[in-house]
Amino acid sequence: MAAVPFVIAVHGGAGTMSPNPDLEAPYHRALKAALAAGAALLESGGAALDAVQAAVVSLEDCPLFNAGRGSVYTAAARHEMDAAVMDGQRLAAGAVACVHGVRNPVLLARSVLSDSGHVLMVGEGAQCFAQQMGLAMEPDAWFDTEERLDDLRRAQRQRRAMGVPAPLRDSGHFGTVGAVALDAHGHLAGAVSTGGLTAKRPGRVGDSAVIGAGIYANDLSCAVVATGTGEHFIRTAAAHDVHARMLYRGQSLQEAAPDVVFGELLRIGGRGGLIAVDARGEVSMPFNTAGMYRGVQRQGEAACTAIFQDQAPAA
Ligand code: ASP
């Protein structure tokens, strides 16, 4: 088969943020670094699955985002992380939930895909598996950031004052990270990683670890990863819904992805967005919040990133 032009897209979460050029530059740099990490592999004929994994590792290691280092805090002021990967060629998937101390949860999700014989592993069993796989572990403090601790305190004050369940509030920034790619062999893949929602109950699992909710990939249609109020993405099987609309209803990616983000998801109160790439290299990145950190790189072109609505990704 002739090589197809590769494309990779990444996101660093959606939410309500206000424009502030001084604060935005580091996000653009981090998104471009993640795109470059993935594109370097795709350039040399590497697999989409390896490329999305490399992009997400880059974002996990950056404390600006709510994944790996920089993960948000649970109500018990701990970090519990979820991650997943999916390979659209084989429909192979791996996911982990509620892990702590694992430096790069996306690598653990990849090990679940490759070496566990399972799809989803959680908690202590997943921790032991990470050690068996020789993955890097870090002390809890390594994941701490002042900003996320401030978010927790703010969420707890809000909960005390208004009785609002802070994790599902309609404001704030969901900083989950994700990547989708089409490789030169025509295969699709996605990867996602998150600390979840600030002040979530210990043991809560979000959409990122649920195949079909926060992530889905199938060479017949598209690769999708989501960010936002995970409970709503689980309830609408959002990522799989994009795939299903394309496969069963014959919608294009440009129709299916916004229909999911602005349709039933929004109707039941779901806030956030998704990034998706289809088997022809089309990219869609709809979101129903004020902004979503996002970027795309096509073969032979400069990487483009954007944050707000009505902003075409720019180099
Ligand atoms: N979707 C993630 C979750 O619910 C949060 C996020 O996107 O930031 O765990």
Side-chain angles (χ1 to χ4, degrees), residues 66 82 173-176 194-197 204 206-208 226-231:
N66 168 23
D82 303 341
H173 164 218
F174 316 109
T176 287
T194 188
L197 296 178
R204 177 262 187 188
D207 61 313
S208 304
T227 175
T229 50
E231 280 69 8

Side-chain angles (χ1 to χ4, degrees), residues 123-219:
E124 287 312 310
Q127 304 283 139
C128 291
F129 183 59
Q131 271 152 4
Q132 278 167 19
M133 291 288 107
L135 295 181
M137 304 296 287
E138 299 288 350
D140 284 353
W142 190 84
F143 299 87
D144 291 345
T145 54
E146 264 316 304
E147 294 75 16
R148 301 300 185 194
L149 201 52
D150 289 346
D151 288 344
L152 174 64
R153 293 189 183 120
R154 202 172 315 117
Q156 288 174 329
R157 276 199 302 276
Q158 187 185 19
R159 176 177 282 175
R160 277 195 299 273
M162 298 158 63
V164 177
L168 294 180
R169 73 195 194 282
D170 185 26
S171 62
H173 164 218
F174 316 109
T176 287
V177 305
V180 289
L182 169 69
D183 66 28
H185 314 284
H187 300 309
L188 294 164
V192 61
S193 181
T194 188
L197 296 178
T198 298
K200 66 185 180 182
R201 289 178 198 276
R204 177 262 187 188
V205 177
D207 61 313
S208 304
V210 179
I211 305 301
I215 179 168
Y216 199 70
N218 188 323
D219 278 6

